[in-house]
Amino acid sequence: MAAALFLVVVATLGFGASTASAHTRLAETFPADRTVSAEPPEQLTLVFAEAVDPRSVRLEIITADGHTIGGATLLTPAGTDSEIIQFALPDLGRGIFGLSWVTVGPDGHRVAGEVVVGVGIVDTAAVAAASFTSTPAADRALEAMSGVGRFLWYIALAAVVGAMMALFWNLRSQQPQNPASAVLVMAARRLLLVGAFVLHLAILVRAVSAIALISRGYGDGPLRDNLRLALADGTGRSLLLAVAGTGAFAVLAARLGRTRSELALLQAAIGVVALIAFGAYPGHTSTLSEDPFGIWVSTLHLAAASAWLGPLLVIAAAMAAPAWRARPDGERSAALAELFRRFAPAAGITFAVLVLTGIRSTWLLAGAELLKGSGYSTVLLVKLGLVALVVLPLGLYHDRRAGWLSRIRRRAGNGPDDRPRAISPGTVRLEHWTLSGVIAIAALLTGLNPSSLNAPDAQALLRAAADGDGQIGLELLSSEPPASAEECTARTVGVANCYRDYFSSVMRAQGADKAVDLVDEISKTNDYVAQNCHQITHNLGNDAVVWYGDVGTALIYEGSACWSGYYHGVVEYALGEYENTELADELPGFCSTVAARQYSFDHFNCVHGLGHGIMQILDGDLFETIPYCEVFDDPWEDSTCMNGALMENMILGQQGTPTYLRADDLVYPCNAVPELYVADCFATQTSWMLHNVGYDTSGFLEVFSICNGVRADMVDDCYLALGRDISSVHNQDPNTIVRLCSLGEPANQSDCYIGAATNTIYNNHDTIQATVICEAIRQSMRPACFEARDRVAATL
């Protein structure tokens, strides 16, 4: 009992977090497949339907004659799964090239493809016909090995469950056992031993193949490191636990087959359910559910299928024995009638469980795509058809002849006599072979991409990268908004979407100002919300325009928290109503109302938001944004507009979208923009630096070093921006601000403190925390800090 309970506890704890997505599918690429261009592409962007680990995506560049070109560099930062993966490409020259990519999901499923590009004067027919991608023999072998392991796992589970059910019914039987029933019991004991051994072998095969494929997916790094990453994944851990559990079960199977204790069999059944849960962890229903409930749905479905097929395997094993064939027909019919009488109630329950869990899984995995002819949905329909047309009718037929329905008919006087009728070995074999076929199809389905992973709108995904998620208008990104922010914290994928849905629902119920205040409050204790505070409120501003119906109404709500992200989002959405040709004419008057109080915080927010919006309209082209900002006659408005554009450029870079930022030159584009905008560029650039080097103490030290090395007249701007980042990342904590700002050069530390203090004013709309910070620093630096505090506060 202790071992069974241990397995259940471990399963519950192990599955307490969301699972990662098992499969993905490519939605779109930039450049597009079969593109012909005059100049070679500098980057490849892969847009996936589901977030993937950037480290698991590999890219090979293959020439038309089969040679491989090195030099492709992953640009997407590691550490966070992303739908958008970018590579910097070497100079390809002229010709036809295959950009062959491959990724391996956390369950060991390999997904691969290619982007064929032609550069210069090339034969377009040759570009259209070119093919470069091939699956390595080792990967094909491991995938086949995994499929065989899944099939053996399903069959062995049915054998073990069926044998345990037959042994349990035998112990509970109050009738004298006839010789044919004894043969059934012996067959169940043999099946339990064989099933337990195959169960252990199957999960061992699955574990080895999955871990090998996952580790191969991490590329050509050291084998030890790749294996460590594969084993650190939830799938690797769950399969290894299942290997240990099935090994223990195989050792105990012989004793279990001889037990005379019903309690021992029930305890073993609990352990088998836990083992099923471990094996179900990488499955489609588990991973696409993004919550532990999906794992238990898979577990119940597989347990019910095993309970349906298992007793049939016991009967088939007995029928193959000479001792069974030697018994008279009457004894065999009586033995089968007794078994089916016991089986009938269990069959009814398992059928109900199969239907309920099957409906949920079918909708989750195929949904509206079920009848649209995808490979996955076609195989799924074959599986459902076999169950509906063969398995279910045969089950009812056998029950009417010797089971529950037979007994009811006899009691009602509708049966021919009081004896159960003989069951044909042929129909039993047909049912169990058909069910075995269904299980083989289930194993095949596990290796295919579900229809629900049909390629989404790639442009929407790119907007998602810019906005932090993919919401358009106020359509919910999830089926219903989460009830609390804690639901989003527990997720491993779809986190940005979850928070957007949650805060939008608060806005609709309580008002935009209450939603912004809630974001600000949660950011004090939630690291994710703190680090993405501006972007979350920015998205809320987008949603507010849709909800309230116009920009003017949306702007009356207080939204200055989180660096006025709400205001920026409102203005950005409004700009999206204009075509490029109209935009330049409309821009100068767009903020005229708030400009009545010139250079105020509201004036800044409006013009700054215009910079964000122009970047959105121009698909993130920073340098194309410059002429639009230059339409302002006031240099302050021109500069403020570009400040918003540069911040948008940084946000796009952090989200993995193609942008004017470089991982190998963390100062760019501040060393490339016109002189008027250099200071505005440094006002956001430190966020990009930290994004690449990290947010720990060593990361801040490295950024201080970069700031010390920029041109002399920009060092103070770099320190101001870094102070702002320190303040936001560490929730305006004065002690941490003092500690980290002191890492900089003494002559410039004052700028760091000023950046941190003024950041709290922009964020909180008051001077309380700024005063605390100014009072916490050295006496000599306080006057400059208080002067900056008062200057910024005057703009509110």
Side-chain angles (χ1 to χ4, degrees):
M1 185 64 176
L5 288 176
F6 172 76
L7 283 172
V8 173
V9 169
V10 171
T12 303
L13 293 176
F15 302 141
S18 297
T19 56
S21 293
H23 298 263
T24 190
R25 176 176 297 181
L26 191 69
E28 195 165 346
T29 67
F30 300 90
D33 188 26
R34 315 294 162 176
T35 293
V36 176
S37 60
E39 298 297 327
E42 296 181 357
Q43 288 186 354
L44 172 67
T45 300
L46 303 173
V47 184
F48 289 98
E50 293 287 314
V52 298
D53 184 345
R55 296 170 299 182
S56 71
V57 183
R58 289 176 287 159
L59 179 68
E60 259 192 344
I61 304 172
I62 307 170
T63 64
D65 57 3
H67 291 95
T68 299
I69 300 176
T73 304
L74 180 66
L75 298 178
T76 305
T80 302
D81 289 359
S82 175
E83 292 93 345
I84 299 175
I85 305 297
Q86 288 183 290
F87 288 89
L89 303 178
D91 185 5
L92 298 181
R94 300 293 184 263
I96 300 174
F97 303 91
L99 311 179
S100 179
W101 60 269
V102 61
T103 183
V104 178
D107 61 345
H109 288 285
R110 182 180 186 275
V111 184
E114 65 184 7
V115 179
V116 177
V117 296
V119 182
I121 301 175
V122 295
D123 183 354
T124 55
V127 173
S131 178
F132 296 87
T133 298
S134 61
T135 304
D139 285 1
R140 285 199 301 269
L142 287 169
E143 287 175 333
M145 181 176 166
S146 179
V148 171
R150 286 192 299 270
F151 175 71
L152 291 176
W153 168 255
Y154 296 152
I155 290 292
L157 276 176
V160 165
V161 171
M164 291 172 63
M165 290 170 70
L167 292 172
F168 182 79
W169 293 332
N170 177 64
L171 292 178
R172 291 184 64 85
S173 176
Q174 302 297 320
Q175 300 178 6
Q177 190 180 71
N178 71 41
S181 295
V183 175
L184 282 171
V185 172
M186 292 302 299
R189 288 173 178 162
R190 289 195 301 272
L191 196 62
L192 180 61
L193 285 173
V194 173
F197 172 77
V198 175
L199 195 67
H200 181 59
L201 176 64
I203 202 65
L204 189 62
V205 169
R206 286 183 61 191
V208 169
S209 58
I211 292 170
L213 275 166
I214 295 169
S215 64
R216 283 175 60 82
Y218 285 109
D220 300 325
L223 178 62
R224 181 177 178 180
D225 292 345
N226 291 350
L227 283 174
R228 179 180 54 79
L229 289 169
L231 290 172
D233 178 79
T235 297
R237 291 195 302 270
S238 70
L239 289 177
L240 288 179
L241 285 171
V243 168
T246 54
F249 186 82
V251 171
L252 297 173
R255 182 185 301 176
L256 186 64
R258 295 190 302 270
T259 186
R260 304 298 301 173
S261 169
E262 296 175 20
L263 181 60
L265 286 169
L266 288 173
Q267 291 170 352
I270 295 173
V272 170
V273 170
L275 290 176
I276 294 174
F278 285 124
Y281 180 82
H284 291 139
T285 302
S286 306
T287 53
L288 292 179
S289 294
E290 293 186 358
D291 55 39
F293 180 68
I295 298 169
W296 295 112
V297 168
S298 295
T299 301
L300 287 174
H301 191 76
L302 186 50
S306 300
W308 185 298
L309 174 59
L312 295 176
L313 293 178
V314 173
I315 295 172
M319 286 180 170
W324 176 266
R325 293 192 295 270
R327 306 315 307 167
D329 289 344
E331 282 186 13
R332 290 184 297 186
S333 296
L336 289 178
E338 176 64 15
L339 182 63
F340 272 97
R341 185 179 70 81
R342 299 281 187 178
F343 181 35
I349 295 172
T350 57
F351 178 71
V353 172
L354 282 170
V355 169
L356 292 175
T357 56
I359 289 173
R360 182 185 188 277
S361 298
T362 298
W363 181 255
L364 183 66
L365 302 179
E369 302 294 320
L370 182 61
L371 301 178
K372 293 189 178 179
S374 71
Y376 184 91
S377 60
T378 299
V379 176
L380 181 57
L381 284 172
V382 171
K383 174 187 171 184
L384 296 176
L386 282 175
V387 172
L389 299 178
V390 182
V391 175
L392 185 57
L394 280 174
L396 291 172
Y397 167 75
H398 290 146
D399 197 47
R400 283 174 59 85
R401 293 189 68 84
W404 205 7
L405 293 176
S406 172
R407 187 170 56 170
I408 293 173
R409 291 173 68 246
R410 292 197 305 275
R411 286 178 178 176
N414 297 324
D417 52 43
D418 291 335
R419 294 172 301 167
R421 288 177 287 173
I423 293 178
S424 166
T427 59
V428 172
R429 292 192 188 98
L430 177 60
E431 183 175 358
H432 91 69
W433 280 116
T434 305
L435 271 171
S436 299
V438 169
I439 285 178
I441 294 172
L444 174 62
L445 283 170
T446 307
L448 298 176
N449 265 324
S451 303
S452 60
L453 289 184
N454 278 344
D457 179 0
Q459 293 296 335
L461 276 176
L462 289 176
R463 288 195 297 273
D467 293 342
D469 51 51
Q471 185 175 3
I472 301 173
L474 275 188
E475 297 177 4
L476 290 178
L477 299 164
S478 50
S479 57
E480 61 182 31
S484 67
E486 285 73 19
E487 290 187 28
C488 305
T489 305
R491 293 195 178 189
T492 55
V493 294
V495 177
N497 294 354
C498 181
Y499 279 114
R500 183 166 189 172
D501 280 350
Y502 173 62
F503 290 118
S504 289
S505 69
V506 174
M507 175 193 68
R508 293 193 298 273
Q510 304 176 38
D513 53 343
K514 300 298 183 185
V516 173
D517 288 344
L518 184 60
V519 176
D520 186 35
E521 180 183 346
I522 293 177
S523 71
K524 293 177 173 60
T525 56
N526 183 309
D527 290 341
Y528 180 91
V529 176
Q531 293 176 13
N532 296 276
C533 186
H534 181 84
Q535 191 59 43
I536 289 172
T537 51
H538 195 117
N539 296 337
L540 193 61
N542 285 176
D543 296 344
V545 180
V546 178
W547 178 248
Y548 294 119
D550 67 270
V551 176
T553 304
L555 283 174
I556 68 173
Y557 290 90
E558 163 61 32
S560 56
C562 302
W563 316 283
S564 301
Y566 172 80
Y567 293 133
H568 301 167
V570 170
V571 175
E572 174 193 277
Y573 189 95
L575 282 178
E577 301 297 313
Y578 297 104
E579 298 292 338
N580 291 15
T581 53
E582 304 172 324
L583 188 56
D585 296 332
E586 297 290 339
L587 279 174
F590 199 90
C591 297
S592 57
T593 301
V594 294
R597 185 174 172 226
Q598 198 172 39
Y599 311 146
S600 66
F601 194 46
D602 290 341
H603 189 187
F604 172 86
N605 283 335
C606 185
V607 180
H608 179 95
L610 291 177
H612 280 273
I614 296 167
M615 281 282 284
Q616 287 289 317
I617 291 172
L618 298 181
D619 296 325
D621 194 322
L622 178 67
F623 289 96
E624 284 297 315
T625 301
I626 293 175
Y628 288 91
C629 288
E630 287 177 339
V631 303
F632 291 101
D633 294 328
D634 187 333
W636 180 89
E637 289 185 313
D638 181 0
S639 172
T640 302
C641 175
M642 276 305 297
N643 180 269
L646 288 157
M647 179 181 282
E648 183 68 20
N649 183 59
M650 183 272 299
I651 292 171
L652 292 173
Q654 289 180 329
Q655 297 291 343
T657 304
T659 185
Y660 289 90
L661 291 164
R662 295 174 180 171
D664 58 349
D665 181 2
L666 297 181
V667 175
Y668 183 85
C670 299
N671 50 14
V673 297
E675 181 65 25
L676 178 63
Y677 310 125
V678 174
D680 294 298
C681 183
F682 276 106
T684 62
Q685 195 68 17
T686 53
S687 297
W688 174 246
M689 298 174 188
L690 288 169
H691 178 73
N692 283 271
V693 303
Y695 295 90
D696 54 9
T697 300
S698 62
F700 284 105
L701 268 171
E702 186 171 346
V703 175
F704 273 121
S705 177
I706 296 172
C707 288
N708 295 334
V710 303
R711 65 188 233 192
D713 61 333
M714 288 296 130
V715 174
D716 56 344
D717 292 281
C718 197
Y719 268 67
L720 282 167
L722 187 52
R724 178 208 59 226
D725 290 330
I726 292 171
S727 175
S728 61
V729 169
H730 292 284
N731 295 318
Q732 306 176 16
D733 177 61
N735 294 328
T736 306
I737 290 169
V738 170
R739 178 176 64 84
L740 291 177
C741 282
S742 66
L743 299 175
E745 290 295 321
N748 301 105
Q749 288 176 13
S750 177
D751 292 313
C752 181
Y753 294 129
I754 290 172
T758 55
N759 172 69
T760 69
I761 300 174
Y762 290 127
N763 189 57
N764 303 342
H765 221 58
D766 60 42
T767 62
I768 297 173
Q769 195 66 12
T771 301
V772 172
I773 293 170
C774 290
E775 290 177 346
I777 64 179
R778 293 200 304 271
Q779 182 67 40
S780 60
M781 298 181 181
R782 290 179 187 175
C785 186
F786 284 125
E787 188 277 328
R789 177 200 65 181
D790 296 340
R791 184 181 67 252
V792 171
T795 68
L796 298 179

